[in-house]
Amino acid sequence: MEIKYPRFSWRLLRNFLLSTAIPIALFTFLLAHSYQKEYNADVSTLVSTTLDTTARNLHTYLAELEQASLMPYYEESFFSILGRIRQKGGVPNTLDRMDLERSIGNPLSFSQYTRDDIVDTLIANENGDLFYTTSLINCSLDTDYAFEQSDWYQAAIEKQGKAVFFPSSSMEYLGPENDNFQNPKVLSVVRSIVNLKTRQPLCVIKIDANMAAFDKMFQEITWHVPSIVAVTDAENRLVYCNSPENAESLINLQTTAQTIKYNNNSYYLYHKQEDSSQWNVYVLLDKNSIDQKSNYIYAVAFSLYLLGLLCATFLYYFHSRKMVNSVNTIHDMANEIRSGNYTGKYQFAKNNELQLVIDSVTYIASLLREKIKEEYQLRLQQKELQLKALQSQINPHFLFNTLNGLIALNQLDKRNELERSLYALTHMLRYTLAKTTDSTLEQEMRFLNDYCLLQKLRFGQRLNYSINYPPSAAQFPIPRLILQPLVENAVIHGIEPSQHAGFLAIDVLEYRENELLITIEDDGIGFQTENTSEHIGIDNVRQ
């Protein structure tokens, strides 16, 4: 049976994969992974820097609105007019309104018309409005509006002179003059104007600003992926959002989350809180777009890896074919020698290390040619020794005794013993007449068991035996019929002359690596070791 070994080319391919393809693939993956982490870190750094800048701009803007609400304190005449109005019950007449216009109207109007975000300015007390100016058209102030009952008015009174912001509030005190007017959403800053000595509130100033400043603030920031920007105040009320769809749901953002779901999309969440006002700025970057850029990094790395792998594969194939051709040449030489041709000479096309192997094989072939005659003679001698061993092992006297025993079993009508003995004799003859010279320990032990069984048929209770060997050594190679002469000597020369029952023990031990220790012992009459050369069985075993 021909043993199939792995092809040399497959070994080269395996070595190529282990030494080149797999390490480069791992290196490419680690490189892409490292670059992707650096990319995400750069994105986080960029967003954090932008948020810091935005928070500072937000702080500046809110400070400017607060500063605008302090403008009445810069006009001393404004407080004297307020005092005069309070003495009259808090309701201004036409002269009082004109005085207020001259006192505070010019600076407030100047602030309003020099800024695009301030849409109106209102000063009111518990009896109604005192001063109002607006850049809106198609609307007018509702003089019957109860200012003192509004939330912003009451909040300003409670803060006792501190500024209060109201995000996304509507100017409900405006009345439309036609259908073209739309009341806009504004960011309002309100403050109660108090007597600096008594801290008694005199009136409330309210400045309304549109979202133009926020639009400008965030439109100047460009992101590399789709994004959403939202601003909430200290009480988590939505101030601004550039995505009006479901914007109110943004007020419940968890600032500790890294990714969130919004409008059925996934976003990376970044957050910054402005320290002085405690307002929050949120930036939501589209997760799918960032992931696509990360996947693009892996795709480029994988494409470069494939290109490098194709080049390496081409070079591998080109050079490995030379090596495979050399191995094929050596294989052809071995086949020639196997077929009996020892005269072939081979010369490889390239001088390399394999040429030394080819020269060595050629030299070995010449030695085999010279040794073949000696080997033939040795085989003839071996055949003669095997014939002598066969004659000594299975002699006519043994067969005669065995057949007599079989006849006796038949006469005694011991069918089972007769059948078992016949099978044992059949196995012995088949094993003895086999053409092969080699066997295994298991087969040799079976033969000896059959032999001892037939001898026990002759000697009966005078012969007992045991055969023991480890199962792990069952397939150990052993010369065929090498142990039977020794067992026969133990029976014929040890147990048969003895006057009492004898015991024969055959034991096998694993002595060392690739070695067995086989002992054949009997408790018969013994023999003189110096005369072993006279026994043909022992001499055959030695040969």
Side-chain angles (χ1 to χ4, degrees):
M1 180 179 178
E2 183 180 359
I3 300 177
K4 294 184 179 180
Y5 294 97
R7 294 186 59 185
F8 184 68
S9 57
W10 286 113
R11 291 176 177 267
L12 290 178
L13 178 59
R14 181 193 63 188
N15 294 336
F16 168 72
L17 292 175
L18 293 177
S19 62
T20 304
I22 296 178
I24 293 179
L26 292 176
F27 175 77
T28 303
F29 173 79
L30 292 176
L31 184 63
H33 182 69
S34 176
Y35 188 83
Q36 188 258 347
K37 288 184 63 177
E38 291 293 333
Y39 169 76
N40 289 340
D42 290 342
V43 170
S44 298
T45 302
L46 175 62
V47 175
S48 298
T49 303
T50 304
L51 282 176
D52 291 339
T53 303
T54 303
R56 288 194 295 269
N57 293 338
L58 180 62
H59 172 74
T60 302
Y61 179 71
L62 296 180
E64 290 177 355
L65 287 181
E66 286 191 45
Q67 190 67 28
S69 66
L70 290 173
M71 196 170 296
Y73 287 100
Y74 303 137
E75 299 294 334
E76 295 182 0
S77 59
F78 176 75
F79 286 93
S80 62
I81 297 172
L82 286 181
R84 189 177 65 198
I85 294 174
R86 291 185 66 84
Q87 292 177 356
K88 298 178 180 179
V91 179
N93 54 30
T94 303
L95 181 60
D96 294 330
R97 292 185 182 275
M98 293 176 60
D99 290 339
L100 286 174
E101 180 70 29
R102 286 192 300 269
S103 172
I104 196 66
N106 291 332
L108 290 178
S109 299
F110 176 79
S111 175
Q112 174 179 318
Y113 287 107
T114 55
R115 297 181 53 157
D116 296 334
D117 55 330
I118 297 180
V119 296
D120 70 352
T121 303
L122 171 68
I123 299 177
N125 60 12
E126 65 275 11
N127 296 316
D129 66 291
L130 301 177
F131 172 84
Y132 177 73
T133 179
T134 181
S135 61
L136 299 175
I137 59 176
N138 299 325
C139 65
S140 60
L141 184 67
D142 184 3
T143 57
D144 297 329
Y145 181 79
F147 294 98
E148 73 282 1
Q149 297 179 5
S150 62
D151 294 338
W152 55 267
Y153 189 94
Q154 294 177 5
I157 297 297
E158 291 177 1
K159 290 297 182 179
Q160 297 182 351
K162 294 183 179 180
V164 182
F165 288 93
F166 278 84
S168 300
S169 61
S170 61
M171 297 177 288
E172 65 277 3
Y173 45 82
L174 293 182
E177 295 182 353
N178 52 47
D179 296 336
N180 295 328
F181 176 74
Q182 292 183 351
N183 201 333
K185 294 290 184 178
V186 293
L187 170 64
S188 302
V189 55
V190 296
R191 181 193 300 270
S192 61
I193 306 301
V194 299
N195 189 314
L196 297 178
K197 294 181 181 181
T198 63
R199 307 301 298 177
Q200 181 182 5
L202 303 177
C203 62
V204 173
I205 182 173
K206 181 174 183 289
I207 300 177
D208 298 319
N210 57 30
M211 296 293 108
F214 286 88
D215 291 333
K216 183 179 180 181
M217 186 185 308
F218 294 112
Q219 286 176 359
E220 291 177 352
I221 303 174
T222 57
W223 306 97
H224 60 296
V225 295
S227 61
I228 297 176
V229 179
V231 179
T232 61
D233 65 358
E235 298 179 5
N236 206 29
R237 294 174 297 187
L238 185 65
V239 178
Y240 171 82
C241 180
N242 62 353
S243 176
E245 184 179 0
N246 297 328
E248 291 299 329
S249 62
L250 294 175
I251 63 176
N252 297 318
L253 291 177
Q254 297 294 326
T255 57
T256 57
Q258 294 182 345
T259 59
I260 64 168
K261 283 283 189 178
Y262 175 67
N263 286 343
N264 298 324
N265 292 328
S266 296
Y267 292 89
Y268 288 110
L269 175 63
Y270 299 89
H271 166 255
K272 177 68 176 179
Q273 188 177 64
E274 199 277 314
D275 295 332
S276 61
S277 63
Q278 302 297 308
W279 282 29
N280 300 286
V281 181
Y282 299 96
V283 173
L284 285 68
L285 300 183
D286 186 64
K287 184 177 183 296
N288 292 332
S289 299
I290 295 180
D291 292 345
Q292 286 178 1
K293 292 183 180 294
S294 298
N295 294 335
Y296 175 76
I297 295 174
Y298 283 101
V300 171
F302 183 70
S303 300
L304 293 177
Y305 166 73
L306 287 181
L307 180 61
L309 182 63
L310 290 176
C311 295
T313 302
F314 174 77
L315 295 176
Y316 152 78
Y317 180 80
F318 178 75
H319 291 287
S320 65
R321 291 312 303 167
K322 296 181 179 180
M323 187 68 68
V324 172
N325 290 336
S326 301
V327 175
N328 289 337
T329 300
I330 298 175
H331 182 262
D332 294 339
M333 293 178 61
N335 287 336
E336 290 291 333
I337 295 174
R338 185 184 303 170
S339 62
N341 182 13
Y342 305 100
T343 60
K345 294 184 178 180
Y346 296 87
Q347 181 68 32
F348 191 58
K350 299 288 184 179
N351 289 326
N352 55 26
E353 290 79 358
L354 290 178
Q355 183 61 47
L356 299 176
V357 179
I358 295 175
D359 294 341
S360 298
V361 174
T362 304
Y363 176 71
I364 293 173
S366 63
L367 291 179
L368 288 175
R369 187 172 60 252
E370 295 175 0
K371 296 293 183 179
I372 190 170
K373 292 183 180 179
E374 299 178 5
E375 180 69 20
Y376 180 71
Q377 295 297 329
L378 290 175
R379 287 185 176 274
L380 289 179
Q381 295 177 5
Q382 183 181 12
K383 290 296 183 180
E384 293 177 0
L385 291 174
Q386 290 177 352
L387 180 58
K388 291 179 181 180
L390 180 62
Q391 291 174 350
S392 65
Q393 293 158 359
I394 307 298
N395 52 61
H397 182 68
F398 168 74
L399 292 176
F400 178 76
N401 291 333
T402 301
L403 291 175
N404 284 337
L406 296 177
I407 292 173
L409 291 175
N410 184 56
Q411 292 174 351
L412 296 174
D413 198 22
K414 295 184 177 181
R415 300 285 183 179
N416 293 334
E417 291 83 350
L418 176 62
E419 182 178 356
R420 186 166 61 253
S421 301
L422 285 173
Y423 274 122
L425 179 60
T426 301
H427 294 161
M428 283 187 60
L429 294 176
R430 183 181 295 111
Y431 186 76
T432 303
L433 298 176
K435 295 181 179 180
T436 59
T437 59
D438 295 328
S439 182
T440 63
L441 179 66
E442 182 180 22
Q443 293 174 342
E444 188 76 5
M445 292 295 111
R446 289 179 180 176
F447 174 80
L448 294 180
N449 185 71
D450 293 335
Y451 177 80
C452 292
L453 178 66
L454 294 178
Q455 288 288 13
K456 187 172 177 59
L457 178 65
R458 173 188 172 190
F459 293 100
Q461 296 300 323
R462 291 182 55 199
L463 173 63
N464 295 302
Y465 67 93
S466 68
I467 300 176
N468 299 299
Y469 64 93
S472 59
Q475 301 304 316
F476 195 92
I478 189 172
R480 190 171 59 87
L481 299 175
I482 193 174
L483 301 179
Q484 193 272 346
L486 302 177
V487 175
E488 184 175 16
N489 283 342
V491 175
I492 302 303
H493 302 291
I495 295 177
E496 183 176 2
S498 178
Q499 297 302 320
H500 56 81
F503 185 79
L504 174 64
I506 304 173
D507 295 301
V508 180
L509 300 175
E510 293 184 352
Y511 184 55
R512 285 193 294 260
E513 184 178 4
N514 296 326
E515 291 187 13
L516 297 179
L517 176 62
I518 304 176
T519 60
I520 301 175
E521 299 177 307
D522 67 87
D523 57 357
I525 63 174
F527 67 98
Q528 300 296 323
T529 58
E530 61 270 10
N531 297 327
T532 57
S533 60
E534 298 176 1
H535 298 280
I536 185 172
I538 296 179
D539 187 59
N540 286 344
V541 171
R542 183 181 295 109
Q543 293 295 332

